[in-house]
PDB file of all heavy atoms in Angstrom:
ATOM      1  N   PRO A 623      14.248 -65.464 -18.789  1.00  0.00           N
ATOM      2  CA  PRO A 623      13.764 -66.472 -17.855  1.00  0.00           C
ATOM      3  C   PRO A 623      12.312 -66.223 -17.454  1.00  0.00           C
ATOM      4  O   PRO A 623      11.921 -65.075 -17.215  1.00  0.00           O
ATOM      5  CB  PRO A 623      14.692 -66.349 -16.647  1.00  0.00           C
ATOM      6  CG  PRO A 623      15.395 -65.053 -16.800  1.00  0.00           C
ATOM      7  CD  PRO A 623      15.411 -64.729 -18.242  1.00  0.00           C
ATOM      8  N   GLY A 624      11.559 -67.290 -17.419  1.00  0.00           N
ATOM      9  CA  GLY A 624      10.184 -67.215 -16.937  1.00  0.00           C
ATOM     10  C   GLY A 624       9.193 -66.836 -18.005  1.00  0.00           C
ATOM     11  O   GLY A 624       7.982 -66.858 -17.781  1.00  0.00           O
ATOM     12  N   LEU A 625       9.690 -66.468 -19.211  1.00  0.00           N
ATOM     13  CA  LEU A 625       8.775 -66.047 -20.276  1.00  0.00           C
ATOM     14  C   LEU A 625       8.720 -67.117 -21.357  1.00  0.00           C
ATOM     15  O   LEU A 625       9.753 -67.637 -21.778  1.00  0.00           O
ATOM     16  CB  LEU A 625       9.251 -64.727 -20.892  1.00  0.00           C
ATOM     17  CG  LEU A 625       9.041 -63.477 -20.054  1.00  0.00           C
ATOM     18  CD1 LEU A 625       9.628 -62.264 -20.754  1.00  0.00           C
ATOM     19  CD2 LEU A 625       7.569 -63.246 -19.773  1.00  0.00           C
ATOM     20  N   ALA A 626       7.504 -67.430 -21.803  1.00  0.00           N
ATOM     21  CA  ALA A 626       7.364 -68.347 -22.941  1.00  0.00           C
ATOM     22  C   ALA A 626       7.276 -67.495 -24.205  1.00  0.00           C
ATOM     23  O   ALA A 626       6.774 -66.357 -24.160  1.00  0.00           O
ATOM     24  CB  ALA A 626       6.070 -69.148 -22.774  1.00  0.00           C
ATOM     25  N   SER A 627       7.785 -67.996 -25.295  1.00  0.00           N
ATOM     26  CA  SER A 627       7.818 -67.175 -26.520  1.00  0.00           C
ATOM     27  C   SER A 627       6.419 -66.702 -26.893  1.00  0.00           C
ATOM     28  O   SER A 627       6.237 -65.597 -27.395  1.00  0.00           O
ATOM     29  CB  SER A 627       8.416 -67.971 -27.681  1.00  0.00           C
ATOM     30  OG  SER A 627       7.734 -69.199 -27.787  1.00  0.00           O
ATOM     31  N   SER A 628       5.420 -67.521 -26.554  1.00  0.00           N
ATOM     32  CA  SER A 628       4.051 -67.103 -26.905  1.00  0.00           C
ATOM     33  C   SER A 628       3.642 -65.845 -26.133  1.00  0.00           C
ATOM     34  O   SER A 628       2.766 -65.099 -26.539  1.00  0.00           O
ATOM     35  CB  SER A 628       3.086 -68.251 -26.562  1.00  0.00           C
ATOM     36  OG  SER A 628       3.194 -68.531 -25.162  1.00  0.00           O
ATOM     37  N   GLN A 629       4.308 -65.571 -25.024  1.00  0.00           N
ATOM     38  CA  GLN A 629       3.921 -64.401 -24.220  1.00  0.00           C
ATOM     39  C   GLN A 629       4.547 -63.117 -24.755  1.00  0.00           C
ATOM     40  O   GLN A 629       4.180 -62.025 -24.358  1.00  0.00           O
ATOM     41  CB  GLN A 629       4.438 -64.576 -22.781  1.00  0.00           C
ATOM     42  CG  GLN A 629       3.721 -65.582 -21.916  1.00  0.00           C
ATOM     43  CD  GLN A 629       4.424 -65.678 -20.558  1.00  0.00           C
ATOM     44  OE1 GLN A 629       5.344 -66.460 -20.413  1.00  0.00           O
ATOM     45  NE2 GLN A 629       4.007 -64.868 -19.601  1.00  0.00           N
ATOM     46  N   ILE A 630       5.504 -63.292 -25.653  1.00  0.00           N
ATOM     47  CA  ILE A 630       6.293 -62.094 -25.978  1.00  0.00           C
ATOM     48  C   ILE A 630       5.878 -61.518 -27.324  1.00  0.00           C
ATOM     49  O   ILE A 630       5.822 -62.229 -28.328  1.00  0.00           O
ATOM     50  CB  ILE A 630       7.799 -62.453 -26.031  1.00  0.00           C
ATOM     51  CG1 ILE A 630       8.250 -62.984 -24.666  1.00  0.00           C
ATOM     52  CG2 ILE A 630       8.620 -61.221 -26.383  1.00  0.00           C
ATOM     53  CD1 ILE A 630       9.657 -63.490 -24.674  1.00  0.00           C
ATOM     54  N   THR A 631       5.528 -60.246 -27.332  1.00  0.00           N
ATOM     55  CA  THR A 631       5.285 -59.598 -28.635  1.00  0.00           C
ATOM     56  C   THR A 631       6.394 -58.592 -28.908  1.00  0.00           C
ATOM     57  O   THR A 631       6.677 -58.250 -30.020  1.00  0.00           O
ATOM     58  CB  THR A 631       3.947 -58.833 -28.596  1.00  0.00           C
ATOM     59  OG1 THR A 631       3.976 -57.956 -27.466  1.00  0.00           O
ATOM     60  CG2 THR A 631       2.795 -59.801 -28.452  1.00  0.00           C
ATOM     61  N   SER A 632       7.023 -58.066 -27.816  1.00  0.00           N
ATOM     62  CA  SER A 632       8.178 -57.189 -28.098  1.00  0.00           C
ATOM     63  C   SER A 632       9.063 -57.159 -26.862  1.00  0.00           C
ATOM     64  O   SER A 632       8.590 -57.324 -25.744  1.00  0.00           O
ATOM     65  CB  SER A 632       7.708 -55.762 -28.401  1.00  0.00           C
ATOM     66  OG  SER A 632       7.268 -55.157 -27.202  1.00  0.00           O
ATOM     67  N   VAL A 633      10.326 -57.025 -27.117  1.00  0.00           N
ATOM     68  CA  VAL A 633      11.276 -56.864 -26.022  1.00  0.00           C
ATOM     69  C   VAL A 633      12.014 -55.563 -26.276  1.00  0.00           C
ATOM     70  O   VAL A 633      12.533 -55.337 -27.353  1.00  0.00           O
ATOM     71  CB  VAL A 633      12.296 -58.032 -26.000  1.00  0.00           C
ATOM     72  CG1 VAL A 633      13.406 -57.736 -25.017  1.00  0.00           C
ATOM     73  CG2 VAL A 633      11.599 -59.333 -25.650  1.00  0.00           C
ATOM     74  N   LYS A 634      11.975 -54.654 -25.308  1.00  0.00           N
ATOM     75  CA  LYS A 634      12.628 -53.356 -25.526  1.00  0.00           C
ATOM     76  C   LYS A 634      13.889 -53.310 -24.679  1.00  0.00           C
ATOM     77  O   LYS A 634      13.840 -53.343 -23.463  1.00  0.00           O
ATOM     78  CB  LYS A 634      11.681 -52.223 -25.097  1.00  0.00           C
ATOM     79  CG  LYS A 634      12.226 -50.832 -25.428  1.00  0.00           C
ATOM     80  CD  LYS A 634      11.156 -49.768 -25.141  1.00  0.00           C
ATOM     81  CE  LYS A 634      11.716 -48.361 -25.223  1.00  0.00           C
ATOM     82  NZ  LYS A 634      12.229 -48.029 -26.567  1.00  0.00           N
ATOM     83  N   ARG A 635      15.040 -53.314 -25.347  1.00  0.00           N
ATOM     84  CA  ARG A 635      16.297 -53.297 -24.600  1.00  0.00           C
ATOM     85  C   ARG A 635      16.569 -51.863 -24.153  1.00  0.00           C
ATOM     86  O   ARG A 635      17.268 -51.114 -24.792  1.00  0.00           O
ATOM     87  CB  ARG A 635      17.438 -53.794 -25.506  1.00  0.00           C
ATOM     88  CG  ARG A 635      17.351 -55.270 -25.847  1.00  0.00           C
ATOM     89  CD  ARG A 635      18.572 -55.731 -26.609  1.00  0.00           C
ATOM     90  NE  ARG A 635      19.785 -55.436 -25.852  1.00  0.00           N
ATOM     91  CZ  ARG A 635      21.000 -55.545 -26.377  1.00  0.00           C
ATOM     92  NH1 ARG A 635      21.152 -55.857 -27.643  1.00  0.00           N
ATOM     93  NH2 ARG A 635      22.052 -55.299 -25.659  1.00  0.00           N
ATOM     94  N   VAL A 636      15.921 -51.448 -23.032  1.00  0.00           N
ATOM     95  CA  VAL A 636      15.898 -50.019 -22.730  1.00  0.00           C
ATOM     96  C   VAL A 636      17.259 -49.480 -22.335  1.00  0.00           C
ATOM     97  O   VAL A 636      17.530 -48.311 -22.492  1.00  0.00           O
ATOM     98  CB  VAL A 636      14.874 -49.710 -21.615  1.00  0.00           C
ATOM     99  CG1 VAL A 636      13.471 -49.875 -22.126  1.00  0.00           C
ATOM    100  CG2 VAL A 636      15.111 -50.548 -20.395  1.00  0.00           C
ATOM    101  N   MET A 637      18.153 -50.286 -21.800  1.00  0.00           N
ATOM    102  CA  MET A 637      19.417 -49.694 -21.369  1.00  0.00           C
ATOM    103  C   MET A 637      20.285 -49.351 -22.569  1.00  0.00           C
ATOM    104  O   MET A 637      21.043 -48.427 -22.551  1.00  0.00           O
ATOM    105  CB  MET A 637      20.167 -50.649 -20.444  1.00  0.00           C
ATOM    106  CG  MET A 637      19.689 -50.578 -19.013  1.00  0.00           C
ATOM    107  SD  MET A 637      19.318 -48.894 -18.462  1.00  0.00           S
ATOM    108  CE  MET A 637      20.944 -48.163 -18.475  1.00  0.00           C
TER     109      MET A 637
END
Side-chain angles (χ1 to χ4, degrees):
L625 286 177
S627 52
S628 59
Q629 287 177 272
I630 299 174
T631 53
S632 73
V633 170
K634 186 173 170 62
R635 291 186 56 191
V636 289
M637 277 321 293

